[in-house]
Amino acid sequence: MVSLVIRKSLQFIVSLVVLLCISALPALIVQLRPNFSNYTDALKQQVLFLTGVEPILYYNVTAQQLRPLLPDLQPFIQETLLIFSSALVCSFIAALVYAFFFYRARLRTRNLLKQTTRVLEMVPDLFWVIFSQYIIIVLFKTTGFDQIEVAGGFADSIRFLPILTLSLTTLFFFIKWLTGQIQEEEGASYIELARAKGTHTNHLFWSHLIPNLFYRFYLFFRANVITILSSLVVIEYTFNVQGLFRFVIMNPQLPVLLVTLLLIYLPFFLIDLIAELCIPKAWKGGAL
C-alpha cells in the first residue's frame, strides 16, 4: 500500500509538470520561429493560473469579454462525457457479444470474421462520419424521417450519430484485441482443465476466460485511450458537437488548454488508482 501511494504520488507530480509544459507549447513558436523566452513566460503564467486563488478567466469571442472558464465549460464537459461514456458502453458490450460468438465459431467462420473486422478496422474515422450522414440524408429523402440530426448547432445537441460513429471506431479496436487474446488463452492450462471437467462452453467463456482477460483489457484500454480521444476530437469537430474538444478548438487560449488537459488526465488518474486498489490480484494474473 505504501509503495503504491509513493509511486502514484510521483506519477501525479511528474504528469502535472508534463501537462504544464505541454499547455504552454503554443507560445513556443512565434512567427514560425522558436521563442524560448516567450515559452518560459507562458509556462510561468500557466503555473500562476494553476496555483492562484482567483478563478481562471478566458476571453469569450462571442461575448467579447473575459469570463470565468469553469462555469462556461460545464455544459461542454457534460456533452463530451455523455458521448464518450455511451460509446464506450455500447462498443464494449458489442465487442463482448462478438467475442462470445467468435469463441464458439468454427475455424472457417473465425477466419471470415477476422478478415471482415480487419478490413473494417482500417476504415478511417472520417469515413464513418460521412457515411452515417449520407445514410440519414438518404433516409430523409426516401421516407421523410427527420428525427436524426446530421449536425449540431450552438443551441442544438446532436448525440445519436456521434455516439454511433465513435462506437463503431472503438468497437473494431476492441474486437481486434479481444479476438487475439481469446486465441492465445484457448490453450492455457486452466482452460484445458475446465474443459476436462466437462465445463459448458458458455460457462467457460463468461466465468473463466473473460475474468482472466479483464485486467489485461483495462491495461490495453488505458494505454490506448488517447487513440479513442483523438477519434472523439474528429467526431466533435465534423458533427459540430458542442463538446469540450470543440470548445478548445474554438477558443485556442493557454488557460483553456491547461484546464482541458487536467480535466482529461485527473479522471483517468483516479480511475487507475481505484483500479489498482480494487481489482483482485487473481484478475491480474491468476487463473480463475
Side-chain angles (χ1 to χ4, degrees):
M1 176 65 73
V2 176
S3 61
L4 176 64
V5 172
I6 295 174
R7 177 163 56 86
K8 288 297 180 181
S9 299
L10 290 174
Q11 179 185 337
F12 179 77
I13 294 171
V14 172
S15 300
L16 188 61
V17 172
V18 171
L19 291 177
L20 280 169
C21 295
I22 293 174
S23 68
L25 278 178
L28 179 60
I29 305 300
V30 179
Q31 296 180 348
L32 300 179
R33 293 183 178 180
N35 189 322
F36 292 100
S37 62
N38 192 57
Y39 175 75
T40 304
D41 293 339
L43 191 58
K44 292 177 181 177
Q45 184 183 19
Q46 296 293 68
V47 173
L48 290 176
F49 280 140
L50 192 61
T51 57
V53 294
E54 297 295 326
I56 299 176
L57 304 177
Y58 81 106
Y59 184 75
N60 188 297
V61 179
T62 304
Q64 298 291 310
Q65 62 179 356
L66 288 172
R67 293 176 58 88
L69 177 58
L70 291 178
D72 281 7
L73 266 182
Q74 183 177 353
F76 296 93
I77 295 171
Q78 292 174 347
E79 198 70 18
T80 293
L81 187 60
L82 176 64
I83 293 172
F84 181 73
S85 57
S86 300
L88 279 185
V89 171
C90 292
S91 57
F92 181 69
I93 293 174
L96 276 180
V97 173
Y98 176 94
F100 175 68
F101 285 107
F102 180 86
Y103 180 72
R104 292 180 58 91
R106 296 179 181 276
L107 181 60
R108 186 174 179 180
T109 307
R110 282 190 176 191
N111 291 333
L112 179 61
L113 290 173
K114 283 194 295 183
Q115 290 173 5
T116 304
T117 52
R118 189 179 295 117
V119 171
L120 292 174
E121 185 193 1
M122 293 187 293
V123 176
D125 302 340
L126 196 56
F127 171 82
W128 294 118
V129 173
I130 298 172
F131 181 71
S132 61
Q133 289 177 325
Y134 172 76
I135 292 297
I136 298 304
I137 292 172
V138 170
L139 181 65
F140 169 70
K141 288 183 177 180
T142 54
T143 66
F145 183 76
D146 61 351
Q147 299 303 306
I148 302 177
E149 299 291 339
V150 296
F154 182 75
D156 300 320
S157 297
I158 175 172
R159 290 169 181 167
F160 178 75
L161 286 185
I163 291 173
L164 176 62
T165 306
L166 185 60
S167 297
L168 286 173
T169 303
T170 311
L171 173 61
F172 301 126
F173 198 49
F174 288 171
I175 282 175
K176 180 182 178 181
W177 185 88
L178 274 174
T179 52
Q181 291 295 314
I182 286 173
Q183 288 179 303
E184 288 183 11
E185 289 292 304
E186 279 183 315
S189 57
Y190 70 94
I191 295 291
E192 295 294 338
L193 178 61
R195 283 202 191 105
K197 290 181 177 180
T199 306
H200 192 272
T201 305
N202 295 355
H203 182 73
L204 186 63
F205 180 82
W206 295 110
S207 299
H208 293 271
L209 186 58
I210 290 302
N212 276 281
L213 293 180
F214 183 84
Y215 184 67
R216 274 180 275 174
F217 179 80
Y218 164 72
L219 294 178
F220 164 77
F221 172 77
R222 185 182 67 179
N224 294 276
V225 68
I226 190 66
T227 304
I228 302 173
L229 291 176
S230 64
S231 298
L232 184 56
V233 173
V234 175
I235 289 169
E236 281 196 3
Y237 185 77
T238 51
F239 280 117
N240 199 29
V241 176
Q242 299 305 307
L244 176 63
F245 296 112
R246 183 168 178 81
F247 182 88
V248 176
I249 293 172
M250 301 306 295
N251 298 275
Q253 302 169 37
L254 293 182
V256 175
L257 181 57
L258 173 62
V259 171
T260 302
L261 290 173
L262 291 174
L263 287 173
I264 292 171
Y265 173 74
L266 289 176
F268 286 109
F269 176 79
L270 293 175
I271 291 172
D272 187 54
L273 179 61
I274 294 171
E276 289 289 339
L277 292 172
C278 297
I279 293 179
K281 290 184 178 180
W283 287 25
K284 296 180 181 181
L288 299 181

